[in-house]
Amino acid sequence: AAVQHLMGLAMGVLIYLLARRFGLPAWAATLATVPVLFDAYELQLEADALPDVPFAFLVVLALYLLLRPSGERRPARTSAAAFLLGVSALLWPVGLVLLGVLLAVLLIALLIRRAGLVTVLAALLAGALPVAAYSAWFSIHRHQFSLTRSDGVYLWSRTMTFADCAVIRLPAAERPLCPPPGPRIAASLYIWNANSPVLAMPSGRFSARTNHLALAFALRAIAAQPGDYAAAVAHDFSLSFYWDRPVHPDAAIVDRYQFADAATAWVPPTLWTPGGGTLAGDQAIYNNGHPAPTRVVQPYASWLVTYQRYVYLRGTLLGVILLATLAAMIARRRVNPVQGPGLPWAFAVTILLVPPLIADFDLRYLVPAVPIACLAAALAFAPGPAGSAQRRWTTSPADTATSEPGDTRTSSLPSESTPATGPESA
């Protein structure tokens, strides 16, 4: 938890530094950091054993390397950023999509002669390295070269909210995966519900065979009902922008992101744990053999509970930030994805959109998108110094021959505004 709190602080600092280097005044740069530094749900998630905060930190750090003006060789910084995104994919598969977005941007930059071939190839190899290494390890232990053996099950759960087996042409092996009778529930709950079809599969819920069949079912369902799939995705995507936190996928899961629910016993102390122990026994091991159930410490617990009721970024405001950023990019002609705010804006939207596309909406998926959206907004509204030339990724001094005489400042990503001043100059 302490390390994740430090990551949250570091994200705020990196956003502030980038905003100042792109010419924003101190008060505006500070405003861009407020959601990551003070949002109650950010603070709560930093105390959880979940990958969201480290994921967000790696993505913000990658963007910092890509966007920060620097005199260093840009291929090295771009490759380092791609490597960080590859590592982030091991924490949350959405990172793999972000890596794809970066590589697509690099290819665009290559086509318009703003990136060298060496830069693109180095980024591709650097991003693929952690993904390939983990997949090789997974292959040794699970006999499948992949990041996971549950991607098909999650995509199958996405289709459970609309799949109609009377419409989908299914082979006999996939028919047991049809939705159970009764009202439809949130997509992700079909994985864990006691009546879930995958729970009844002979080979187990997350076996290679079940995952293969679930993936095939999901692809058939999407192909047979593309309109229903699009409607389901649009509905879950819209949940990101509700004024109040939506109760989705159910109240029990939403409660787990509340400080008020922190001391609730979600499972009994006698629950069996891996290794042959129990929950209570494992807790005692961390407390020198003494019982160590979760407890409330006052008055701090009450302070946090009250704080969380009021201090967080509403989903509607997140939507306003994204729309205002897009409008500013269009008005100031900064829509090009290889420049300034375009890349962080695309990253923020991707983080919000991919979960509804492949699984379901969850409140914690909002948290990694918030600092990146605020960074995009800061860069979109940054004035930038007048007269600076557009930069490009380079692989040799000859590639920078088009720079203005005497101008040695560089940036990993080309930008129409590469500030000459940093925070210290203010």
Side-chain angles (χ1 to χ4, degrees):
V3 171
Q4 293 194 146
H5 285 312
L6 290 175
M7 288 179 176
L9 293 172
M11 282 190 282
V13 171
L14 293 174
I15 292 170
Y16 179 85
L17 290 176
L18 270 179
R20 295 290 284 132
R21 290 184 179 276
F22 272 76
L24 276 183
W27 69 266
T30 301
L31 184 63
T33 70
V34 168
V36 69
L37 294 178
F38 293 99
D39 188 294
Y41 286 91
E42 169 77 31
L43 299 175
Q44 189 277 329
L45 205 57
E46 288 171 5
D48 284 351
L50 291 168
D52 305 86
V53 172
F55 172 86
F57 171 71
L58 290 174
V59 175
V60 171
L61 182 57
L63 287 169
Y64 180 80
L65 292 174
L66 289 166
L67 299 173
R68 180 180 182 272
S70 168
E72 299 178 18
R73 288 286 186 186
R74 281 157 286 183
R77 299 179 75 88
T78 305
S79 299
F83 179 82
L84 291 174
L85 293 177
V87 173
S88 78
L90 309 184
L91 300 176
W92 191 25
V94 174
L96 199 59
V97 184
L98 297 183
L99 178 60
V101 171
L102 173 62
L103 294 176
V105 167
L106 287 172
L107 287 175
I108 293 173
L110 177 63
L111 293 174
I112 62 175
R113 299 182 182 275
R114 293 193 177 278
L117 181 61
V118 172
T119 298
V120 178
L121 293 177
L124 175 62
L125 292 175
L129 179 61
V131 177
Y134 182 86
S135 297
W137 178 88
F138 193 85
S139 177
I140 292 172
H141 291 274
R142 295 290 183 268
H143 311 293
Q144 179 180 337
F145 191 81
S146 173
L147 291 179
T148 178
R149 207 160 57 187
S150 62
D151 52 344
V153 174
Y154 274 90
L155 186 60
W156 164 85
S157 73
R158 166 71 283 170
T159 67
M160 285 297 95
T161 59
F162 65 84
D164 183 354
C165 287
V167 176
I168 311 168
R169 295 183 178 179
L170 294 170
E174 296 171 23
R175 287 201 169 276
L177 293 172
C178 287
R184 302 293 174 104
I185 56 179
S188 57
L189 296 181
Y190 280 94
I191 300 174
W192 316 106
N193 189 276
N195 296 322
S196 172
V198 292
L199 201 60
M201 294 297 286
S203 54
R205 178 165 42 195
F206 292 122
S207 68
R209 182 176 184 274
T210 299
N211 192 60
H212 173 75
L213 292 174
L215 178 60
F217 179 102
L219 295 177
R220 294 182 204 277
I222 293 170
Q225 299 175 259
D228 294 328
Y229 172 66
V233 171
H235 172 268
D236 285 2
F237 180 64
S238 71
L239 296 177
S240 300
F241 309 112
Y242 280 27
W243 180 257
D244 293 317
R245 290 300 206 236
V247 181
H248 187 95
D250 64 15
I253 291 178
V254 171
D255 285 346
R256 295 187 181 188
Y257 306 128
Q258 312 299 323
F259 283 118
D261 200 52
T264 301
W266 299 337
V267 292
T270 55
L271 178 74
W272 177 87
T273 57
T278 63
L279 176 66
D282 287 359
Q283 288 176 325
I285 291 173
Y286 286 93
N287 196 35
N288 297 321
H290 302 292
T294 304
R295 61 192 179 91
V296 173
V297 179
Q298 298 293 1
Y300 314 107
S302 295
W303 293 350
L304 284 172
V305 170
T306 303
Y307 183 84
Q308 193 174 31
R309 290 175 187 162
Y310 306 105
V311 187
Y312 63 90
L313 184 69
R314 302 273 183 172
T316 306
L317 297 180
L318 175 60
V320 169
I321 289 172
L322 291 172
L323 288 176
T325 301
L326 180 61
M329 289 192 295
I330 294 173
R332 307 182 71 182
R333 299 182 181 179
R334 295 184 179 183
V335 182
N336 192 324
V338 303
Q339 297 178 350
L343 190 62
W345 189 88
F347 275 17
V349 173
T350 299
I351 291 171
L352 294 175
L353 182 59
V354 170
L357 278 170
I358 63 173
D360 198 358
F361 167 86
D362 193 290
L363 282 175
R364 68 185 178 92
Y365 299 158
L366 292 177
V367 173
V370 168
I372 299 165
C374 291
L375 172 61
L379 301 188
F381 289 96
S388 63
Q390 292 187 350
R391 309 291 174 237
R392 53 164 121 180
W393 289 283
T394 60
T395 56
S396 68
D399 290 330
T400 61
T402 58
S403 298
E404 293 179 353
D407 191 348
T408 60
R409 289 178 284 111
T410 61
S411 173
S412 298
L413 283 173
S415 171
E416 69 272 18
S417 57
T418 306
T421 59
E424 65 278 0
S425 66

